[in-house]
Amino acid sequence: MSNARPDQRTEARQDTRAEPYVRLERVTRKFGDFVAVDDVSLQIRRGEIFCLLGGSGCGKTTLLRMLAGFEQPTSGSIWIDGVDVTGLPPYERPVNMMFQSYALFPHMTVEQNVAFGLRQDRIPRAEIKERAGAMLELVRMREFAGRKPHQLSGGQRQRVALARSLVKRPKLLLLDEPLAALDKKLRQHTQFELINIQETLGVTFVVVTHDQEEAMTLASRIGVMNHGEIIQVGTPTDIYEYPNSRFVADFIGSVNLFEGRLVEDEPDYVRIASDELGGAFYISHGVSAAPGAVVWVALRPEKIQISREQPEGDGDNRIAGVVAEIAYLGDQSVYLVRLASGRQVRVTQPNIVRQGSAGRITWDEAVWLSWDATSPVVVTQ
Ligand code: ATP
């Protein structure tokens, strides 16, 4: 397994193969008056795992189907490996698509399922056997080659479907919610397998998912979609740490969003006064907004410290409150802290010390919340 973080993998890829492999230029797809995909321009690099992430109905499957050629754009163009494929049918594109339901042929064995596409292409029998065998080896299914799909678990069927979609060596593999049928543990395991397989073969993957954790694990880059538009494209770290909007901040992970007003605007810091907070944020990075402008501050729950004692130092980046709720989740605890403004703030703390130990912060206690000046992110839309 690769130990590289997704963003590190991206950097490595960026160095060597920076030219876009897939290019969408102002692609729009309408169904009647309804705009399912709205003026999307996007570049995907060779060898990436690119995740399209968004809520139900945001247009991600439609975008994927246009890449595959099952759907035509109403306007705009699609380029793969420097070729304009906009009008081309699916079978003339260097693309394969793995659908939401894996749709294995029930009457065929695992090996026959994997070999099916090669047989259709009239490839010599010995080569079919070798290539299907190698693919089954890659997805660790060789010992199940003689079984029928109904004799397999969901995860095993998923791996067979993956082998089948890779055996013809597509340059671009499109995966629509590939792990949706798996339970959480198997999903997590399979996510890492998928990364390994992709790295071994160097195929470019475009994965559609509504599961942000899955996108964070798999992707070298993520495109966050809403209402047919791509709202932000970036590495998992970019998207999580530097969301460009309230929508992205709120969609990825959980976040506390505070409305405020820019009261001091210097190149290396800003101060934002917020009635919702009942105080001010001092933030150690500049923002592009006019003084006095209404902005929003996004503060992740894990970046907030909770303590009984008032933090030392001056008055920004801290606020007093009362613990309204505590949820114990095993690895961490979630505190909902009510501020004097009436606003509740979500705080998470890792459970480093075993629960039940004396001295823990509990319900109705008066507490202080504080955070580092580097932690909040300001968004203007
Ligand atoms: P999900 O996660 O639920 O699969 P999605 O983001 O993949 O959602 P799409 O399948 O791309 O969403 O659909 C985007 C929008 O376009 C939806 O509102 C859907 O109802 C609409 N749509 C998709 N296909 C058609 C069609 N053939 N005719 C009319 N509307 C369609």
Side-chain angles (χ1 to χ4, degrees), residues 5 26 104 122 166-167 182 220 231 243 284 286 288 328 335 358:
R5 291 197 332 261
R26 309 207 57 182
L104 297 175
R122 307 203 173 282
L166 286 167
V167 78
L182 310 185
S220 49
I231 310 293
S284 60
S288 45
Y328 169 67
Y335 299 85

Side-chain angles (χ1 to χ4, degrees), residues 109-119 123-145 159-160 162-169:
T109 64
V110 163
E111 184 171 19
Q112 287 165 343
N113 261 285
V114 174
F116 180 77
L118 299 178
R119 272 208 205 100
I123 288 175
R125 192 178 281 254
E127 188 184 336
I128 292 180
K129 193 148 186 61
E130 194 206 310
R131 278 171 65 177
M135 254 328 131
L136 287 173
E137 186 75 50
L138 187 71
V139 299
R140 299 194 287 114
M141 286 299 292
R142 200 160 201 163
E143 59 182 296
F144 301 100
R159 299 214 295 269
V160 176
L162 189 63
R164 193 178 62 173
S165 55
L166 286 167
V167 78
K168 287 176 75 174
R169 300 174 185 153

